[in-house]
Amino acid sequence: METFYGYDDLIKQFFARGQGHLFQHWNTLSEDERNSLFKELKSVDFSLLATLQSLIGTRYPEHEILEPAPYISLTARTDEYIEALSIGEAYIRKGKVAVFVVAGGQGSRLGFEGPKGCFPIGEVSGKSLFQIHAEKIVKYARKYEVSIPWLIMTSDANHTATSEFLHNHRNFGISDNDLYIFSQGMVSSLDMEGKLVLENPTKLFKNPDGHGGSLTALKSSGVLAELMGRGIETISYFQVDNPLVKIIDPVFIGAHIIHNAEVSSKGIPKTGPDEKIGVFVRYPDGRMGVVEYSDLPEKQAKETGSDGTLKFLMGSPAIHLFQCAFIEEITSGGSINLPFHVAKKKLKVWQKGVFSEIEGFKFEKFVFDALPLAKKSIVFEMNRQEEFAPVKNLTGIDSVESARKLMSNLYKEWLRNKGIEIPPAVAVVEISPLLAVESDDLPAIVLPNEKKVYLT
Ligand code: UTP
């Protein structure tokens, strides 16, 4: 083996673990570059590396899935619905709820330059996803006469750009005291042989550690402690790419409180066995969980009851409520040991002196793997048309195109519910969250007979 004066001990460990390729370019590096690479590699956790390597080629343990999770349906204005609404509203008014958007993903399918939250999803207004979420918070805060903290999780890849975007737009009306932006952890990606790869000559190739990293990041950033200090008890969690999400849903919150749940999750009936959405399950010990669509065996995905309905019907749109005390409990050791899931992806790496695209593996934790840790957890059925418009791609399924259509459809529905006439020329409607977050908020208005209408 070569000698790497002054750096031998660490470098020997890498060679001993089959990772000596990371030093092939050692002789071409300056002293400063060697120090940077050395510093980077000193942080490698070999036992984590061994865990990641062991995941390559493994499959989800099928035997663990026994039953679909039970769920609560409060869609009609029943007594239970009204009770949940009133309990939820009182709880929000007391300032016990914070809003948490996870926005650390790389948004690779969308192919948008910059953080996904900056994408201008508003078809008429051009408002970004971040602006839409922020304005909903402003609206709810006015409605319930309370300040609502906004938590945004970013990653190394988009933290600075996200912070600057919000700063340049004065947080879209959210006060600095109510805004918490913090980064999630990163994890090494591996090549097809399970070897570490470099992003550039002195930096390992890493990816954000998945939305499952959010609970640990809440704790390690100190944000959880701050929230609890200001009396927040419940965190309303959602993904940045759903412009229709009801970021604060009093009925959902009320049901969560009534059931004394540590975690609650919204569920939507799957459109069919092939819909790419995780499903809610109940494990043998009675605890709830979600199985990702790619881990649900085809046979179970297609299984139906006697009435032809899918057995594993309830899908997860990634909308949850977490009790702060629950997050505090499961992160008391500093982090939570959620499992990593592995996915084959294209990686743009630096290898043999050049940048190239290779096939490799990325590892991510999923937030729903925290569900089985809860002693009490409920699944709450929601209406897909009213609150789910995922923006994953530019066109096609779960795209900018489909989300804009769903937004316009919902806003038209709100107008109809309110008895407001939609003139014949109107094809697209957009409603500012500052005006309305639900049909009841709409004032009596007369729409112009124009193709695209924006109500503010
Ligand atoms: P997706 O899994 O859809 O990933 O994230 P993505 O990064 O947005 O898009 P692709 O897969 O690269 O095309 C769902 C939600 O979880 C967040 C994303 O920002 C999005 O809100 N997320 C994902 C994180 O916050 N961190 C991660 O490490 C991964």
Side-chain angles (χ1 to χ4, degrees):
M1 194 180 105
E2 281 179 70
T3 304
F4 298 87
Y5 295 108
Y7 302 93
D8 278 357
D9 282 351
L10 179 87
I11 293 172
K12 266 188 210 150
Q13 290 184 45
F14 278 84
F15 272 93
R17 289 174 163 89
Q19 305 290 333
H21 61 286
L22 296 171
F23 304 98
Q24 276 167 353
H25 61 305
W26 187 254
N27 291 332
T28 66
L29 297 179
S30 68
E31 196 59 28
D32 279 353
E33 288 169 331
R34 286 179 181 181
N35 279 329
S36 299
L37 180 61
F38 187 75
K39 206 169 138 212
E40 175 84 349
L41 296 181
K42 246 174 103 174
S43 68
V44 170
D45 173 346
F46 286 116
S47 89
L48 173 63
L49 176 61
T51 305
L52 299 181
Q53 288 169 327
S54 74
L55 292 174
I56 296 173
T58 55
R59 273 202 57 79
Y60 185 83
E62 291 181 23
H63 59 275
E64 277 201 71
I65 307 166
L66 260 198
E67 287 301 324
Y71 57 91
I72 294 166
S73 250
L74 293 186
T75 40
R77 291 199 170 245
T78 55
D79 288 351
E80 282 162 297
Y81 176 100
I82 290 162
E83 189 198 358
L85 174 65
S86 118
I87 289 177
E89 287 195 322
Y91 190 78
I92 300 164
R93 257 180 228 289
K94 283 190 197 146
K96 293 184 181 298
V97 183
V99 164
F100 183 17
V101 57
V102 285
Q106 294 168 307
S108 39
R109 282 169 286 174
L110 189 60
F112 173 63
E113 199 49 50
K116 208 188 217 183
C118 305
F119 186 86
I121 192 64
E123 185 166 357
V124 196
S125 67
K127 282 183 182 175
S128 63
L129 286 156
F130 279 136
Q131 182 167 3
I132 289 176
H133 297 319
E135 291 184 350
K136 285 186 196 177
I137 297 173
V138 171
K139 180 72 178 173
Y140 282 114
R142 281 184 197 148
K143 213 174 184 160
Y144 294 113
E145 298 172 308
V146 69
S147 70
I148 300 174
W150 186 19
L151 326 180
I152 304 177
M153 185 178 79
T154 58
S155 62
D156 282 6
N158 63 22
H159 183 79
T160 308
T162 303
S163 305
E164 282 175 6
F165 183 75
L166 286 155
H167 180 77
N168 294 340
H169 292 91
R170 297 173 185 219
N171 310 335
F172 299 106
I174 307 289
S175 95
D176 281 342
N177 292 338
D178 287 333
L179 183 65
Y180 298 84
I181 308 184
F182 54 97
S183 277
Q184 65 182 110
M186 303 289 284
V187 59
S188 290
S189 306
L190 301 178
D191 71 9
M192 295 303 282
E193 290 166 33
K195 293 191 171 181
L196 291 163
V197 275
L198 293 171
E199 180 184 308
N200 64 40
T202 60
K203 200 163 178 255
L204 282 171
F205 190 103
K206 293 183 182 175
N207 61 275
D209 63 357
H211 41 66
S214 59
L215 303 178
T216 297
L218 265 173
K219 168 78 174 183
S220 60
S221 62
V223 171
L224 183 65
E226 273 198 56
L227 293 176
M228 292 176 85
R230 60 186 272 182
I232 299 294
E233 291 180 2
T234 304
I235 290 176
S236 176
Y237 168 107
F238 59 93
Q239 302 189 334
V240 73
D241 50 17
N242 180 8
L244 283 191
V245 64
K246 281 188 194 165
I247 57 167
I248 296 256
D249 180 348
V251 184
F252 182 37
I253 292 170
H256 172 77
I257 303 299
I258 290 168
H259 287 271
N260 204 15
E262 289 178 313
V263 183
S264 293
S265 308
K266 284 201 172 167
I268 38 174
K270 279 179 67 171
T271 49
D274 299 328
E275 189 182 9
K276 292 186 171 168
I277 187 167
V279 293
F280 288 100
V281 299
R282 182 160 63 182
Y283 293 110
D285 63 0
R287 302 216 173 195
M288 309 279 207
V290 170
V291 174
E292 186 61 333
Y293 63 85
S294 48
D295 292 327
L296 186 69
E298 199 186 333
K299 191 167 149 266
Q300 274 162 320
K302 291 194 164 148
E303 214 174 329
T304 53
S306 51
D307 62 354
T309 315
L310 289 176
K311 180 175 175 194
F312 291 93
L313 178 67
M314 273 300 143
S316 170
I319 302 170
H320 308 281
L321 296 170
F322 290 100
Q323 285 308 92
C324 289
F326 168 72
I327 304 175
E328 178 61 33
E329 185 188 322
I330 60 175
T331 55
S332 59
S335 65
I336 331 168
N337 201 10
L338 297 182
F340 276 103
H341 297 247
V342 56
K344 207 194 267 184
K345 295 268 167 135
K346 294 226 170 356
L347 315 177
K348 281 194 188 123
V349 301
W350 189 88
Q351 248 179 9
K352 298 181 185 141
V354 287
F355 291 98
S356 48
E357 194 170 80
I358 61 162
E359 290 248 285
F361 298 101
K362 283 190 179 180
F363 300 86
E364 289 191 329
K365 293 180 178 183
F366 294 159
V367 76
F368 53 67
D369 282 326
L371 265 62
L373 304 176
K375 290 183 278 299
K376 186 76 208 278
S377 162
I378 59 165
V379 178
F380 180 93
E381 185 181 6
M382 71 177 208
N383 182 326
R384 176 188 289 263
Q385 277 72 34
E386 283 179 9
E387 38 184 326
F388 191 48
V391 181
K392 303 290 180 192
N393 309 292
L394 260 183
T395 54
I397 295 173
D398 295 346
S399 65
V400 172
E401 231 172 46
S402 62
R404 285 184 173 155
K405 185 119 199 71
L406 288 164
M407 289 166 82
S408 180
N409 287 349
L410 178 69
Y411 299 140
K412 286 182 190 167
E413 185 66 21
W414 286 1
L415 293 169
R416 280 192 287 269
N417 289 345
K418 195 75 184 177
I420 298 169
E421 196 189 318
I422 304 173
V426 176
V428 178
V429 176
E430 189 184 336
I431 297 178
S432 165
L434 295 174
L435 179 71
V437 285
E438 58 187 317
S439 179
D440 284 350
D441 296 337
L442 288 171
I445 33 177
V446 178
L447 257 55
N449 192 18
E450 290 164 8
K451 194 166 172 217
K452 293 188 175 186
V453 173
Y454 180 47
L455 301 175
T456 54

